[in-house]
Amino acid sequence: MDVSAIIFDCDGVLVDSVTLGDQALVNVLTEWAAPEQIMPLLHQYPGRKLQELFRMLEEQLEIKLPSTIEAAYRAESQRLFDSHLQPIPQVGQLLAQMKCPLAVASKAPLN
């Protein structure tokens, strides 16, 4: 089979950002709920848009999150990514062996 190009998702495919993103959510939500309440809910809603996830968490945890929660989450995610983000093991070697054009697609914000 000839492959003319490959488009990779970024989060969880090229970099191990999913765990850090979950940790950022736990960190910003601990004012309203315990981590052991939050983590199981995050696993129920993978790949959701952030605002949708916040609405679902509000319903499930019976809490009201402030309008600043997204900004707090983005700042905490960036802090964790800056200090802990790593590529998925051996992804660099895989990409180096690819002989076709490569691209990355992600619904994450650019910054």
Side-chain angles (χ1 to χ4, degrees):
M1 174 171 90
D2 288 333
V3 175
S4 57
I6 298 175
I7 302 172
F8 290 92
D9 183 31
C10 187
D11 299 320
V13 176
L14 298 177
V15 294
D16 191 12
S17 56
V18 175
T19 303
L20 294 175
D22 286 352
Q23 186 61 53
L25 280 167
V26 169
N27 292 354
V28 299
L29 292 173
T30 54
E31 184 175 331
W32 296 276
E36 42 294 333
Q37 292 175 290
I38 300 166
M39 286 305 288
L41 296 175
L42 297 180
H43 296 240
Q44 290 179 18
Y45 306 117
R48 300 281 183 165
K49 292 182 179 179
L50 193 54
Q51 288 303 318
E52 188 177 330
L53 176 62
F54 287 141
R55 281 194 304 276
M56 292 174 171
L57 290 171
E58 284 180 320
E59 290 173 13
Q60 293 288 322
L61 297 171
E62 298 178 348
I63 59 174
K64 178 65 178 148
L65 297 171
S67 61
T68 58
I69 195 70
E70 182 175 349
Y73 165 73
R74 299 261 183 228
E76 180 63 4
S77 293
Q78 191 63 55
R79 185 187 74 77
L80 291 175
F81 290 176
D82 287 347
S83 59
H84 300 292
L85 189 64
Q86 296 292 316
I88 296 293
Q90 300 166 350
V91 77
Q93 295 93 329
L94 171 69
L95 295 174
Q97 295 174 11
M98 306 301 283
K99 303 296 184 207
C100 63
L102 306 174
V104 177
S106 179
K107 67 178 180 178
L110 292 175
N111 53 8

